[in-house]
């Protein structure tokens, strides 16, 4: 009996194509799952960091405006930073580092005294505002490159005119005085 080579070749080709399809599908599926996991993890880490940053920034600002020592709880902020280091893009980590540097400048402002000069707060507040916006834009881009660049954010450090108006109401010393 003659071997039907055509049938044998087509059957072997079908088996090979099926095996290659299963392997390729597994690779593509795994990559898709990894991307989905990274996307969800980044979103959660960025969200946690922004919430922790907001808590620290608000406490420092309120302590400054209320003329008292800050009572910052650093553990959630540091935990959020550590979580973010696992999944954040390089650009988002760099932007978060800038925020941390400015938060440190803000805390140093309180060392050994209670600051009351609004002009001491202005560069720190401006830096926080800019660094916050930079972080939000870096985080948005790392989650989806089609995200538009924001010119301003919701939340985070308030506009400087809000801080000045607090002092102008008589709730704080005049701008530039101690």
């Amino acid at each position: 009996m003659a071997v039907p080579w055509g049938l044998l070749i087509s059957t072997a080709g079908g088996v090979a194509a099926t095996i290659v399809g299963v392997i390729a599908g597994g690779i593509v599926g795994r990559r898709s799952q990894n991307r989905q996991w990274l996307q969800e993890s980044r979103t959660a880490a960025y969200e946690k960091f922004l919430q922790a940053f907001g808590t620290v920034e608000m406490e420092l600002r309120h302590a400054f405006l209320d003329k008292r020592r800050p009572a910052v709880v650093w553990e959630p902020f540091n935990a959020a930073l550590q979580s973010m280091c696992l999944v954040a893009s390089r650009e988002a980590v760099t932007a978060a580092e800038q925020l941390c540097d400015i938060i440190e400048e803000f805390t140093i402002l309180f060392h050994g005294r209670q600051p009351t000069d609004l002009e001491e707060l202005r560069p720190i507040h401006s830096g926080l505002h800019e660094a916050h916006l930079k972080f939000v834009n870096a985080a948005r881009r790392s989650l989806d490159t089609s995200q538009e660049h924001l010119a301003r954010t919701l939340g985070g450090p308030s506009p400087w005119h809000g801080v000045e108006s607090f002092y102008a109401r008589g709730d704080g010393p005049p701008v530039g005085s101690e």
Side-chain angles (χ1 to χ4, degrees):
M1 173 154 156
V3 176
W5 290 106
L7 179 62
L8 187 60
I9 291 173
S10 66
T11 302
V15 168
T18 300
I19 291 171
V20 168
V22 167
I23 291 170
I27 291 170
V28 169
R30 176 170 275 231
R31 282 186 186 165
S32 177
Q33 283 179 332
N34 286 345
R35 274 190 237 122
Q36 182 68 28
W37 173 85
L38 182 59
Q39 180 88 349
E40 290 171 2
S41 297
R42 278 183 172 172
T43 301
Y46 294 156
E47 189 175 296
K48 184 177 176 183
F49 174 71
L50 284 170
Q51 289 170 349
F53 162 74
T55 301
V56 167
E57 188 268 333
M58 291 295 290
E59 172 55 23
L60 290 170
R61 186 163 22 117
H62 285 201
F64 180 91
L65 296 173
D66 295 344
K67 300 178 188 94
R68 62 174 172 81
R69 302 295 266 169
V72 176
V73 179
W74 290 106
E75 289 82 4
F77 184 77
N78 287 327
L81 279 173
Q82 302 240 356
S83 293
M84 196 172 59
C85 286
L86 293 173
V87 293
S89 70
R90 185 176 303 150
E91 185 182 12
V93 167
T94 300
E97 284 175 330
Q98 282 184 308
L99 266 174
C100 292
D101 289 345
I102 297 168
I103 285 287
E104 185 174 5
E105 285 179 39
F106 204 167
T107 60
I108 288 170
L109 191 62
F110 288 94
H111 284 233
R113 66 187 177 93
Q114 178 56 50
T116 57
D117 185 359
L118 190 58
E119 288 307 313
E120 285 184 289
L121 181 59
R122 184 187 295 267
I124 291 170
H125 186 69
S126 297
L128 282 172
H129 182 73
E130 291 170 21
H132 178 256
L133 179 61
K134 185 175 181 180
F135 174 78
V136 168
N137 278 317
R140 287 167 53 90
R141 277 190 301 279
S142 81
L143 295 173
D144 182 358
T145 56
S146 69
Q147 289 275 355
E148 293 180 27
H149 181 81
L150 297 177
R152 62 184 219 197
T153 62
L154 299 173
S158 62
W160 182 248
H161 63 80
V163 176
E164 286 180 318
S165 70
F166 176 83
Y167 273 76
R169 289 194 320 241
D171 295 328
V175 175
S177 70
E178 291 191 59

